[in-house]
Amino acid sequence: MSNLTKDQLWRLVQEAEKIIQNSYAPYSNIHVASAILSESGRVYLGVNVENSSYGLTICAERSAVSAMVTHGDRKPLAVAVVTDLADPIPPCGACRQVLAEFNPDAVLILYSTKSRKYTIMKLTDIFPQPFKL
Ligand code: THU
């Protein structure tokens, strides 16, 4: 997939898997972790952070984007989304839009820790028309 190696994508999955236990999901009990490989080569991590006011929940992918931007990076080349559900999950609509802001051509690797199933795709495959100003 593009010029990223399978090794780079697997490393991202492993980094996300290491921190999935930090996911704060007492309401849905769905744990998600994300790892972003940025253009600089650095990796940024995030988990979902739920709230008793459910709508305030932050997804793992947007947590990782915040970490990336906070540290001065702007371009996610690859994004791992790791969950403990039986099947891999794609980023929600809001996360697709937020990722597309920084790189609509990002590569996604979606992985389930439970089944070890994974799927690789491009963000453009699942979000071809981001809103842009
Ligand atoms: N969730 C994510 O972290 N990323 C997604 O793209 C989809 C959903 C989280 C939010 C919430 O904590 C839980 O999964 C169930 O919706």
Side-chain angles (χ1 to χ4, degrees), residues 24-25 28 30 32 47-50 57-61 81 89-92 95:
Y24 179 72
S28 74
I30 295 168
V32 187
V47 294
N48 56 330
V49 182
E50 296 188 347
T57 292
I58 302 167
C59 292
E61 299 91 316
V81 183
I89 55 161
C92 76
C95 290

Side-chain angles (χ1 to χ4, degrees), residues 37-74:
L37 172 66
S38 71
E39 200 173 32
S40 69
R42 293 175 73 181
V43 172
Y44 297 98
L45 304 173
V47 294
N48 56 330
V49 182
E50 296 188 347
N51 192 273
S52 56
S53 177
Y54 298 162
L56 299 182
T57 292
I58 302 167
C59 292
E61 299 91 316
R62 276 177 289 147
S63 297
V65 168
S66 296
M68 177 190 76
V69 173
T70 298
H71 289 89
D73 270 331
R74 292 286 185 270

Side-chain angles (χ1 to χ4, degrees), residues 5-130:
T5 64
K6 267 251 159 95
D7 275 1
Q8 283 175 303
L9 296 179
W10 274 112
R11 183 189 159 212
L12 275 190
V13 166
Q14 285 167 354
E15 294 291 327
E17 204 171 355
K18 277 190 220 161
I19 53 130
I20 196 171
Q21 79 264 11
N22 298 333
S23 152
Y24 179 72
Y27 304 105
S28 74
N29 208 34
I30 295 168
H31 300 95
V32 187
S34 179
I36 292 177
L37 172 66
S38 71
E39 200 173 32
S40 69
R42 293 175 73 181
V43 172
Y44 297 98
L45 304 173
V47 294
N48 56 330
V49 182
E50 296 188 347
N51 192 273
S52 56
S53 177
Y54 298 162
L56 299 182
T57 292
I58 302 167
C59 292
E61 299 91 316
R62 276 177 289 147
S63 297
V65 168
S66 296
M68 177 190 76
V69 173
T70 298
H71 289 89
D73 270 331
R74 292 286 185 270
K75 190 163 181 186
L77 297 181
V79 182
V81 183
V82 171
T83 178
D84 57 1
L85 289 171
D87 288 309
I89 55 161
C92 76
C95 290
R96 294 177 199 194
Q97 175 68 26
V98 169
L99 288 168
E101 174 81 17
F102 294 101
N103 184 10
D105 295 316
V107 172
L108 307 176
I109 180 162
L110 317 175
Y111 177 77
S112 158
T113 58
K114 203 167 192 178
S115 60
R116 301 188 183 280
K117 285 189 209 165
Y118 74 95
T119 169
I120 297 173
M121 63 187 67
K122 294 195 79 170
L123 181 56
T124 49
D125 296 333
I126 58 167
F127 200 60
Q129 290 190 310

